[in-house]
Amino acid sequence: MEARGVSAIVRGTEFVFAVDPTGKATVTLYDGAIELANPWGRLLLQSGQSASVHPGEEPRRTAVLLSDDRAAIQWALYYPAILDLADLGWLAAPEPALEGSFDRYREGDIPRAMAAYPKGRMPASAEEKLFLAALLLSVGSLEESERWLDEVGPGARPSRLAAALREVAAAVNRRSCLPTSIPPSERLATEWMAASYCLQSQGKLAEALDAAQHAAQRAPEFGFAWSRQAELEFSFGRIQSARKLLERANASVKANSRILAQKDVDIAIRFESDPRNTSEGRHNLQFRVSNRSKHNIDSWHARVRVPSAIRPIENAWPVEENDGNGVIVYGITSDHMATGGNNHNGNHHDPKIPAGSARHYPSIGMRPGNEQLNNNAWAGSQEVSLEFYPNNQARAITAKFTIADMLHGFSKG
């Protein structure tokens, strides 16, 4: 940064840099380090220090009061967007009237998301009240946002999300952030984002970056978490890292446009008993995917989670996981299916499922262990699940059934 003969080399910080009409430059440093330099001298500032530079003179330290001067720090957004819609349970708009606003928010366009929210609409659910409050907060309508937050109600998760939105408002307005008793492993992406801005308001940039990283780890599809990391990396002068994180944020936005919800995709499961060996109860599990959304499913990942007493036969999928507690996970991808892998007749299958179409896939042959077949109580309590991840998104569409269902043969949608 250069101004009137003095350069400020940023080394990861939050600061105020001002130049008056006489050419005098003043720097107040809140966190990190800055090196001031001109032809007459150099000066390194650390957190909590200030300096002034008059034209034709070397930089000199001056007294500093770290109080309401923080009002001079400008935020990237007036009230940053922190709400991960997945924390609301929304992988798609909950109803058609909200699709425009939902899509614009996922694309990172907050003003258009606010403009697309239906005028005069009165949200009824706690989730929609939180969504509207987040939109209003992000465009600076604090009082109206707080009114809807007060309407959210006592539910555990809605209350936590409302608290997170209030926390970021407190951070921007330089009020104290409240401590949380929620263990780090249980915090939501939205809560990590709020913590990041609170830590920044306290001058703790390294901790703010760590919180943003936790948000992205918690919700890899949350574009705002990646862009938050990028702006903090940039504050440390790590330009290349910031650029890569912005690319990741943009990739998340593009992926979000293809995210599909359970209401848009149906899974139908069918078991067919194999008459060649009825004494061992061989079954072929087949599944059919119906894509009722407006987006193509270009790739997918399917997993079958079963008790270890289920023994795969010749067409079994590869083992992905064995937790050592009696559960084995078999998995297969669309790429594997496209090449004819683990397919009953070796034919290739088109892995893509265009919008409005359906595909039927032979999948896995299996049978319960012989010693368990006559134990109806055991069979009725042992759960099997099929997890389907369209476009390899992080959250699965799941269908569950029991071994008793298998033994008797059934179809389930």
Side-chain angles (χ1 to χ4, degrees):
M1 181 178 294
E2 295 184 358
R4 300 227 178 169
V6 62
S7 298
I9 303 171
V10 179
R11 302 186 184 280
T13 185
E14 190 172 45
F15 64 95
V16 175
F17 188 96
V19 181
D20 70 16
T22 69
K24 175 187 173 182
T26 303
V27 179
T28 301
L29 179 61
Y30 293 100
D31 187 69
I34 283 182
E35 184 179 1
L36 298 177
N38 67 9
W40 294 272
R42 308 176 76 88
L43 179 65
L44 179 66
L45 295 182
Q46 302 290 347
S47 300
Q49 296 180 336
S50 181
S52 64
V53 186
H54 292 268
E57 298 181 9
E58 65 180 346
R60 300 178 186 276
R61 286 192 181 88
T62 58
V64 60
L65 293 176
L66 296 180
S67 57
D68 287 342
D69 288 346
R70 278 187 185 271
I73 296 175
Q74 299 299 307
W75 295 74
L77 294 173
Y78 183 53
Y79 289 97
I82 66 163
L83 179 65
D84 179 13
L85 298 184
D87 287 343
L88 299 178
W90 290 5
L91 295 183
E95 55 182 276
L98 296 178
E99 283 185 358
S101 187
F102 176 93
D103 290 343
R104 299 296 82 75
Y105 187 94
R106 295 300 292 264
E107 292 167 0
D109 193 337
I110 304 300
R112 289 180 65 198
M114 184 74 257
Y117 189 86
K119 289 180 172 56
R121 182 180 173 90
M122 300 294 289
S125 69
E127 291 76 16
E128 188 177 345
K129 290 173 183 176
L130 284 164
F131 178 56
L132 179 56
L135 290 177
L136 290 165
L137 184 63
S138 295
V139 298
S141 299
L142 177 60
E143 290 185 5
E144 194 173 357
S145 173
E146 288 180 334
R147 180 170 70 87
W148 286 111
L149 290 177
D150 290 339
E151 295 285 331
V152 166
R157 177 168 288 209
S159 295
R160 286 170 57 182
L161 295 173
L165 290 169
R166 289 193 172 98
E167 191 171 300
V168 79
V172 173
N173 286 283
R174 304 182 311 284
R175 300 194 302 265
S176 297
C177 298
L178 298 175
T180 179
S181 60
I182 301 170
S185 61
E186 297 177 13
R187 290 177 198 166
L188 305 170
T190 300
E191 292 170 320
W192 280 115
M193 288 286 283
S196 178
Y197 284 103
C198 275
L199 289 163
Q200 179 181 352
S201 74
Q202 298 164 11
K204 301 176 181 178
L205 291 187
E207 292 90 339
L209 175 57
D210 181 70
Q213 290 169 341
H214 275 89
Q217 291 167 5
R218 180 78 178 182
E221 297 162 359
F222 187 27
F224 287 122
W226 295 102
S227 59
R228 172 63 176 154
Q229 286 186 73
E231 67 184 12
L232 287 166
E233 287 285 355
F234 185 80
S235 78
F236 285 102
R238 298 194 281 260
I239 309 302
Q240 287 299 112
S241 177
R243 182 176 290 113
K244 290 180 180 178
L245 286 164
L246 283 175
E247 291 173 355
R248 181 65 179 81
N250 289 334
S252 295
V253 168
K254 292 177 181 177
N256 286 338
S257 69
R258 300 192 302 272
I259 284 181
L260 304 164
Q262 187 154 352
K263 70 183 184 66
D264 294 321
V265 180
D266 293 333
I267 301 176
I269 302 171
R270 182 175 64 185
F271 280 104
E272 293 179 342
S273 296
D274 190 334
R276 293 174 297 174
N277 199 340
T278 54
S279 64
E280 291 191 357
R282 293 163 64 118
H283 298 269
N284 294 328
L285 180 154
Q286 298 180 321
F287 69 99
R288 181 178 186 270
V289 180
S290 298
N291 179 8
R292 299 187 292 113
S293 77
K294 58 185 178 181
H295 303 295
N296 296 334
I297 299 177
D298 296 321
S299 61
W300 49 265
H301 180 193
R303 307 174 87 206
V304 176
R305 190 181 300 271
V306 300
S308 56
I310 293 284
R311 291 182 292 148
I313 52 178
E314 64 270 11
N315 293 309
W317 297 355
V319 174
E320 285 192 357
E321 180 185 340
N322 188 338
D323 68 1
N325 294 315
V327 175
I328 299 177
V329 179
Y330 301 93
I332 196 166
T333 66
S334 52
D335 289 343
H336 193 111
M337 187 66 73
T339 61
N342 295 343
N343 185 317
H344 285 286
N345 54 20
N347 292 336
H348 292 218
H349 285 257
D350 183 1
K352 296 184 179 181
I353 311 172
S357 70
R359 291 282 188 271
H360 176 267
Y361 297 103
S363 54
I364 183 170
M366 52 186 169
R367 61 193 178 197
N370 291 338
E371 68 279 4
Q372 307 285 6
L373 286 178
N374 296 322
N375 188 338
N376 291 329
W378 175 87
S381 66
Q382 297 298 303
E383 190 173 78
V384 182
S385 66
L386 172 66
E387 301 166 355
F388 185 78
Y389 301 80
N391 287 332
N392 296 325
Q393 65 191 50
R395 293 170 178 82
I397 298 164
T398 304
K400 296 181 179 181
F401 44 94
T402 66
I403 290 179
D405 293 327
M406 283 179 54
L407 294 175
H408 295 96
F410 80 109
S411 295
K412 184 173 183 179

